[in-house]
Amino acid sequence: IAKKVSTHTLRHTYAAARLQTLDHDGQPISAYTVMVELGHQDLVNLQKRYGHLINVRRRSPVLEFISHD
């Protein structure tokens, strides 16, 4: 990777991706779940920063490679 990437950038990318991803059953990952994963205390900051992504959902292509056995 030629560009320097900070841990903050990785954290932001993770949160954005999680909020846009559907789980195995096609259900959206909840904002509350992402809040807990990030260690936030409330949803206010999460919604301010990522609110525009909460309704943009898609099934993760990674899930296609995970076995459901």
Side-chain angles (χ1 to χ4, degrees):
I1 300 175
K3 183 179 179 182
K4 289 190 177 191
V5 179
S6 68
T7 54
H8 179 76
T9 301
L10 294 174
R11 182 177 167 88
H12 177 75
T13 302
Y14 174 81
R18 285 290 278 162
L19 287 169
Q20 295 179 76
T21 302
L22 300 176
D23 67 12
H24 290 290
D25 300 322
Q27 299 300 311
I29 305 294
S30 74
Y32 178 81
T33 298
V34 176
M35 179 198 77
V36 170
E37 290 172 348
L38 295 176
H40 290 195
Q41 298 299 314
D42 60 53
L43 285 171
V44 174
N45 288 331
L46 188 81
Q47 290 173 333
K48 283 181 185 177
R49 171 73 95 187
Y50 304 104
H52 65 287
L53 300 175
I54 291 174
N55 293 322
V56 181
R57 305 293 183 156
R58 65 180 181 277
R59 185 169 171 80
S60 172
V62 173
L63 294 177
E64 301 304 320
F65 297 100
I66 298 173
S67 172
H68 296 286
D69 297 335

XYZ file of all heavy atoms in Angstrom:
558
model
N 0.856 -1.172 0.000
C 0.000 0.000 0.000
C 0.899 1.231 0.000
O 1.702 1.405 0.907
C -0.928 0.017 1.228
C -1.812 -1.220 1.231
C -1.744 1.284 1.264
C -2.685 -1.352 2.457
N 0.722 2.045 -0.997
C 1.567 3.235 -1.129
C 1.109 4.358 -0.206
O 1.914 5.145 0.265
C 1.562 3.717 -2.574
N -0.169 4.431 0.057
C -0.714 5.495 0.893
C -0.607 5.113 2.369
O -0.877 3.974 2.745
C -2.173 5.726 0.531
C -2.824 6.848 1.277
C -4.268 7.034 0.834
C -4.905 8.154 1.613
N -6.303 8.343 1.243
N -0.224 6.058 3.204
C -0.184 5.797 4.642
C -1.603 5.726 5.168
O -2.442 6.573 4.849
C 0.596 6.885 5.367
C 2.072 6.828 5.095
C 2.821 7.752 6.009
C 4.308 7.605 5.740
N 5.099 8.274 6.761
N -1.863 4.723 5.965
C -3.194 4.498 6.514
C -3.094 4.488 8.036
O -2.280 3.768 8.600
C -3.770 3.147 6.025
C -5.138 2.902 6.608
C -3.830 3.118 4.510
N -3.933 5.289 8.667
C -3.917 5.342 10.132
C -4.906 4.328 10.707
O -5.787 3.820 10.005
C -4.303 6.743 10.606
O -5.671 6.996 10.313
N -4.764 4.054 11.979
C -5.721 3.161 12.639
C -7.115 3.782 12.631
O -8.112 3.070 12.536
C -5.287 2.845 14.084
O -5.073 4.072 14.782
C -4.024 2.013 14.101
N -7.188 5.105 12.691
C -8.481 5.789 12.627
C -9.162 5.534 11.276
O -10.369 5.301 11.214
C -8.303 7.288 12.857
C -9.584 8.050 12.790
N -10.509 8.037 13.809
C -10.113 8.810 11.806
C -11.550 8.772 13.455
N -11.331 9.262 12.245
N -8.392 5.574 10.203
C -8.933 5.303 8.871
C -9.459 3.875 8.782
O -10.542 3.634 8.240
C -7.852 5.531 7.794
O -7.406 6.886 7.875
C -8.375 5.239 6.403
N -8.715 2.928 9.320
C -9.158 1.532 9.314
C -10.435 1.353 10.131
O -11.349 0.625 9.736
C -8.052 0.620 9.845
C -6.800 0.528 8.980
C -5.733 -0.291 9.696
C -7.122 -0.045 7.617
N -10.502 2.005 11.258
C -11.678 1.939 12.128
C -12.904 2.525 11.415
O -13.994 1.960 11.449
C -11.374 2.698 13.412
C -12.428 2.700 14.456
C -11.883 3.453 15.680
N -12.918 3.771 16.610
C -13.322 2.981 17.594
N -12.742 1.810 17.764
N -14.285 3.348 18.401
N -12.718 3.655 10.749
C -13.797 4.296 10.008
C -14.267 3.391 8.860
O -15.467 3.221 8.643
C -13.306 5.643 9.475
C -14.309 6.363 8.647
N -15.395 7.006 9.189
C -14.397 6.528 7.307
C -16.115 7.538 8.208
N -15.524 7.267 7.065
N -13.338 2.807 8.149
C -13.668 1.902 7.041
C -14.431 0.693 7.542
O -15.421 0.269 6.927
C -12.380 1.475 6.316
O -11.711 2.645 5.847
C -12.680 0.543 5.152
N -13.992 0.129 8.658
C -14.683 -1.025 9.255
C -16.123 -0.668 9.611
O -17.053 -1.395 9.264
C -13.927 -1.493 10.503
C -14.652 -2.567 11.254
C -14.578 -3.888 10.844
C -15.437 -2.265 12.368
C -15.263 -4.883 11.520
C -16.119 -3.255 13.049
C -16.025 -4.562 12.620
O -16.703 -5.549 13.294
N -16.306 0.453 10.288
C -17.650 0.859 10.712
C -18.557 1.085 9.506
O -19.705 0.629 9.485
C -17.574 2.135 11.557
N -18.048 1.760 8.501
C -18.842 2.028 7.300
C -19.231 0.725 6.607
O -20.381 0.549 6.196
C -18.066 2.930 6.352
N -18.286 -0.191 6.502
C -18.567 -1.472 5.844
C -19.588 -2.290 6.632
O -20.500 -2.885 6.055
C -17.275 -2.258 5.662
N -19.442 -2.334 7.939
C -20.374 -3.106 8.780
C -21.789 -2.566 8.679
O -22.747 -3.335 8.615
C -19.937 -3.081 10.236
C -18.774 -3.950 10.561
C -19.102 -5.414 10.488
N -19.746 -5.837 11.731
C -20.446 -6.955 11.854
N -20.582 -7.772 10.846
N -21.007 -7.262 12.997
N -21.945 -1.259 8.653
C -23.276 -0.659 8.589
C -23.955 -0.886 7.244
O -25.164 -0.777 7.137
C -23.199 0.835 8.889
C -22.947 1.161 10.353
C -22.607 2.635 10.510
C -24.141 0.789 11.210
N -23.184 -1.221 6.237
C -23.746 -1.444 4.906
C -23.900 -2.926 4.574
O -24.351 -3.269 3.485
C -22.846 -0.798 3.851
C -22.792 0.705 3.978
C -21.874 1.291 2.952
O -22.220 1.380 1.788
N -20.682 1.666 3.379
N -23.520 -3.801 5.485
C -23.490 -5.231 5.207
C -24.700 -5.940 5.789
O -25.165 -5.611 6.872
C -22.200 -5.844 5.810
O -21.083 -5.180 5.253
C -22.084 -7.312 5.503
N -25.151 -6.942 5.058
C -26.211 -7.819 5.545
C -25.573 -9.073 6.119
O -24.524 -9.524 5.658
C -27.156 -8.194 4.395
C -27.853 -7.018 3.706
C -28.673 -7.521 2.529
C -28.724 -6.249 4.680
N -26.223 -9.679 7.104
C -25.692 -10.904 7.697
C -26.074 -12.115 6.843
O -26.630 -11.994 5.754
C -26.143 -11.051 9.152
C -27.635 -11.275 9.296
O -28.325 -11.549 8.290
O -28.130 -11.185 10.437
N -25.806 -13.329 7.366
C -26.085 -14.575 6.645
C -27.548 -14.716 6.266
O -27.871 -15.326 5.252
C -25.691 -15.793 7.498
C -24.222 -15.937 7.667
N -23.381 -16.289 6.637
C -23.431 -15.778 8.754
C -22.147 -16.341 7.079
N -22.147 -16.034 8.361
N -28.429 -14.197 7.073
C -29.868 -14.322 6.836
C -30.434 -13.169 6.027
O -31.644 -13.050 5.877
C -30.610 -14.420 8.172
C -30.169 -15.627 8.978
O -29.931 -16.696 8.368
O -30.052 -15.505 10.206
N -29.567 -12.289 5.533
C -30.019 -11.150 4.753
C -30.547 -10.002 5.593
O -31.170 -9.083 5.085
N -30.286 -10.040 6.900
C -30.732 -8.976 7.804
C -29.627 -7.946 7.979
O -28.450 -8.286 7.997
C -31.100 -9.573 9.173
C -32.228 -10.569 9.127
C -33.496 -9.937 8.586
O -33.907 -8.869 9.025
N -34.110 -10.591 7.619
N -29.983 -6.686 8.114
C -28.957 -5.648 8.299
C -28.264 -5.771 9.650
O -28.870 -6.169 10.637
C -29.735 -4.340 8.212
C -31.158 -4.687 8.382
C -31.334 -6.134 8.058
N -26.980 -5.462 9.662
C -26.230 -5.369 10.911
C -26.735 -4.108 11.608
O -26.782 -3.040 11.008
C -24.721 -5.257 10.646
C -24.207 -6.403 9.771
C -23.941 -5.141 11.955
C -24.279 -7.772 10.395
N -27.106 -4.217 12.867
C -27.692 -3.068 13.553
C -26.629 -2.033 13.926
O -25.466 -2.361 14.156
C -28.430 -3.508 14.814
O -27.518 -3.850 15.834
N -27.072 -0.789 13.969
C -26.186 0.293 14.403
C -25.728 0.037 15.838
O -24.595 0.342 16.199
C -26.895 1.639 14.289
N -26.601 -0.556 16.645
C -26.235 -0.872 18.032
C -25.069 -1.864 18.058
O -24.130 -1.701 18.842
C -27.439 -1.444 18.784
C -27.096 -1.826 20.200
C -27.045 -0.862 21.197
C -26.797 -3.138 20.540
C -26.707 -1.196 22.498
C -26.464 -3.485 21.834
C -26.421 -2.514 22.812
O -26.076 -2.850 24.095
N -25.119 -2.880 17.217
C -24.038 -3.869 17.158
C -22.720 -3.199 16.806
O -21.690 -3.462 17.437
C -24.366 -4.967 16.129
O -25.556 -5.645 16.540
C -23.239 -5.962 15.979
N -22.739 -2.331 15.818
C -21.517 -1.632 15.403
C -21.038 -0.716 16.524
O -19.839 -0.636 16.801
C -21.740 -0.858 14.093
C -20.506 -0.055 13.709
C -22.129 -1.806 12.974
N -21.971 -0.066 17.205
C -21.617 0.799 18.325
C -20.855 0.001 19.393
O -19.812 0.433 19.876
C -22.871 1.411 18.945
C -22.589 2.306 20.138
S -24.049 2.612 21.154
C -24.156 1.072 22.051
N -21.355 -1.160 19.727
C -20.711 -2.006 20.737
C -19.339 -2.473 20.248
O -18.359 -2.447 20.995
C -21.619 -3.206 21.101
C -20.885 -4.217 21.963
C -22.879 -2.718 21.797
N -19.265 -2.887 18.989
C -17.988 -3.349 18.432
C -16.922 -2.258 18.471
O -15.743 -2.540 18.688
C -18.182 -3.829 16.996
C -18.966 -5.105 16.898
C -19.323 -5.499 15.484
O -19.168 -4.681 14.550
O -19.771 -6.626 15.299
N -17.340 -1.010 18.275
C -16.393 0.107 18.290
C -16.097 0.619 19.696
O -15.199 1.428 19.884
C -16.917 1.256 17.429
C -17.037 0.979 15.935
C -17.656 2.170 15.233
C -15.689 0.639 15.328
N -16.890 0.171 20.661
C -16.676 0.607 22.033
C -17.284 1.956 22.352
O -16.892 2.601 23.314
N -18.239 2.395 21.553
C -18.917 3.671 21.822
C -19.932 3.500 22.944
O -20.419 2.400 23.188
C -19.638 4.179 20.571
C -18.712 4.633 19.492
N -19.134 5.391 18.434
C -17.385 4.443 19.285
C -18.119 5.653 17.638
N -17.054 5.077 18.135
N -20.259 4.591 23.603
C -21.193 4.556 24.727
C -22.632 4.838 24.320
O -23.549 4.498 25.033
C -20.751 5.568 25.791
C -19.385 5.258 26.371
C -19.334 3.913 27.056
O -20.220 3.577 27.817
N -18.305 3.134 26.755
N -22.818 5.527 23.191
C -24.177 5.838 22.738
C -24.227 5.889 21.220
O -23.209 5.940 20.546
C -24.694 7.141 23.343
C -23.832 8.333 22.990
O -23.586 8.554 21.790
O -23.413 9.054 23.908
N -25.441 5.877 20.692
C -25.639 5.860 19.245
C -25.560 7.234 18.590
O -25.454 7.330 17.372
C -27.007 5.244 18.913
C -27.110 3.739 19.055
C -28.553 3.295 18.902
C -26.233 3.049 18.030
N -25.587 8.290 19.373
C -25.652 9.640 18.816
C -24.473 9.923 17.883
O -24.665 10.334 16.734
C -25.742 10.708 19.932
C -25.661 12.109 19.354
C -27.016 10.525 20.720
N -23.262 9.704 18.347
C -22.087 9.986 17.519
C -22.019 9.063 16.307
O -21.648 9.486 15.214
C -20.799 9.880 18.329
C -20.647 11.032 19.286
O -21.142 12.126 19.037
N -19.991 10.786 20.397
N -22.374 7.805 16.502
C -22.380 6.852 15.395
C -23.371 7.294 14.320
O -23.056 7.287 13.131
C -22.733 5.449 15.905
C -22.589 4.337 14.894
C -21.130 3.917 14.795
C -23.443 3.153 15.278
N -24.540 7.711 14.735
C -25.554 8.153 13.778
C -25.161 9.448 13.085
O -25.455 9.641 11.913
C -26.907 8.284 14.465
C -27.481 6.930 14.833
C -28.750 7.032 15.662
O -28.953 8.005 16.380
N -29.586 6.009 15.576
N -24.489 10.342 13.799
C -24.020 11.588 13.179
C -22.997 11.293 12.083
O -23.028 11.874 11.011
C -23.387 12.505 14.218
C -24.368 13.228 15.098
C -23.627 14.128 16.071
C -24.570 14.791 17.051
N -23.849 15.598 18.029
N -22.077 10.406 12.382
C -20.972 10.114 11.472
C -21.374 9.192 10.320
O -20.965 9.377 9.188
C -19.829 9.497 12.267
C -18.699 8.932 11.459
C -17.828 9.961 10.820
N -16.683 10.227 11.647
C -15.835 11.198 11.358
N -16.047 11.958 10.323
N -14.809 11.412 12.112
N -22.194 8.182 10.627
C -22.490 7.142 9.641
C -23.975 7.010 9.291
O -24.348 6.083 8.593
C -22.013 5.781 10.163
C -20.556 5.759 10.534
C -20.160 5.796 11.865
C -19.570 5.705 9.562
C -18.820 5.774 12.218
C -18.233 5.683 9.902
C -17.861 5.718 11.231
O -16.553 5.696 11.566
N -24.802 7.926 9.751
C -26.238 7.825 9.535
C -26.637 7.675 8.078
O -27.583 6.963 7.750
N -25.893 8.314 7.195
C -26.207 8.238 5.772
C -25.962 6.844 5.196
O -26.452 6.519 4.122
C -25.396 9.276 5.000
C -23.923 9.031 5.031
N -23.151 9.258 6.171
C -23.077 8.566 4.092
C -21.897 8.948 5.900
N -21.830 8.527 4.655
N -25.224 5.997 5.909
C -24.918 4.651 5.415
C -25.862 3.583 5.953
O -25.901 2.486 5.418
C -23.484 4.267 5.806
C -22.385 5.160 5.262
C -21.051 4.733 5.844
C -22.362 5.094 3.752
N -26.595 3.905 6.994
C -27.399 2.897 7.674
C -28.448 2.285 6.750
O -28.746 1.109 6.853
C -28.001 3.472 8.967
C -26.874 3.710 9.976
C -29.064 2.556 9.543
C -27.280 4.409 11.243
N -28.983 3.038 5.824
C -30.005 2.502 4.926
C -29.450 2.005 3.592
O -30.205 1.616 2.717
C -31.094 3.547 4.680
C -31.876 3.810 5.938
O -32.161 2.905 6.710
N -32.208 5.066 6.160
N -28.132 2.029 3.435
C -27.499 1.519 2.215
C -26.988 0.124 2.540
O -25.898 -0.046 3.062
C -26.328 2.430 1.771
C -25.689 1.916 0.501
C -26.794 3.854 1.608
N -27.807 -0.877 2.238
C -27.456 -2.245 2.624
C -27.189 -3.111 1.403
O -27.845 -3.001 0.384
C -28.603 -2.880 3.419
C -29.043 -2.090 4.612
C -27.986 -2.036 5.665
N -28.497 -1.330 6.822
C -28.041 -1.476 8.037
N -27.054 -2.282 8.278
N -28.557 -0.795 9.022
N -26.231 -4.011 1.571
C -25.962 -4.998 0.531
C -25.380 -6.233 1.192
O -24.798 -6.165 2.265
C -25.013 -4.447 -0.511
C -23.625 -4.152 0.023
C -22.736 -3.604 -1.084
N -21.402 -3.338 -0.611
C -21.024 -2.228 0.023
N -21.895 -1.285 0.264
N -19.787 -2.074 0.414
N -25.526 -7.345 0.553
C -24.961 -8.581 1.070
C -23.470 -8.584 0.787
O -23.033 -8.324 -0.319
C -25.624 -9.780 0.413
C -25.172 -11.090 0.978
C -26.073 -12.212 0.468
N -25.545 -13.495 0.828
C -25.675 -14.059 2.016
N -26.334 -13.422 2.952
N -25.180 -15.235 2.276
N -22.699 -8.883 1.793
C -21.253 -8.898 1.652
C -20.818 -10.024 0.716
O -21.233 -11.171 0.881
C -20.589 -9.101 3.013
O -19.194 -9.303 2.833
N -19.967 -9.749 -0.266
C -19.478 -10.811 -1.143
C -18.662 -11.847 -0.384
O -18.562 -12.984 -0.807
C -18.626 -10.083 -2.179
C -18.439 -8.704 -1.680
C -19.470 -8.441 -0.644
N -18.115 -11.472 0.759
C -17.339 -12.404 1.569
C -18.222 -13.562 2.047
O -17.784 -14.706 2.130
C -16.696 -11.688 2.774
C -16.021 -12.661 3.709
C -15.734 -10.628 2.292
N -19.487 -13.278 2.327
C -20.396 -14.312 2.817
C -20.595 -15.432 1.803
O -20.947 -16.543 2.176
C -21.741 -13.701 3.215
C -21.717 -12.759 4.401
C -23.101 -12.167 4.631
C -21.217 -13.452 5.647
N -20.383 -15.157 0.545
C -20.552 -16.180 -0.481
C -19.496 -17.279 -0.348
O -19.691 -18.390 -0.824
C -20.471 -15.557 -1.886
C -21.507 -14.484 -2.132
C -22.937 -14.970 -1.909
O -23.261 -16.102 -2.286
O -23.722 -14.181 -1.351
N -18.397 -16.986 0.310
C -17.312 -17.940 0.453
C -17.341 -18.682 1.781
O -16.535 -19.569 2.021
C -15.954 -17.244 0.289
C -15.775 -16.657 -1.069
C -15.983 -15.303 -1.278
C -15.455 -17.455 -2.148
C -15.826 -14.743 -2.536
C -15.298 -16.914 -3.414
C -15.488 -15.568 -3.611
N -18.267 -18.323 2.646
C -18.354 -18.943 3.968
C -19.352 -20.079 3.908
O -20.482 -19.917 3.472
C -18.784 -17.916 5.036
C -17.743 -16.804 5.128
C -18.979 -18.586 6.400
C -18.140 -15.666 6.020
N -18.939 -21.246 4.363
C -19.809 -22.425 4.347
C -20.887 -22.300 5.413
O -20.657 -21.781 6.493
C -18.970 -23.670 4.607
O -19.804 -24.787 4.766
N -22.073 -22.773 5.118
C -23.184 -22.761 6.059
C -23.410 -24.129 6.691
O -24.489 -24.444 7.133
C -24.486 -22.311 5.357
C -24.423 -20.914 4.860
N -24.488 -19.828 5.691
C -24.283 -20.423 3.605
C -24.407 -18.727 4.973
N -24.274 -19.067 3.708
N -22.378 -24.959 6.721
C -22.507 -26.321 7.274
C -22.786 -26.341 8.746
O -22.379 -25.596 9.520
C -21.230 -27.126 7.004
C -21.011 -27.305 5.504
O -22.008 -27.254 4.753
O -19.854 -27.498 5.114
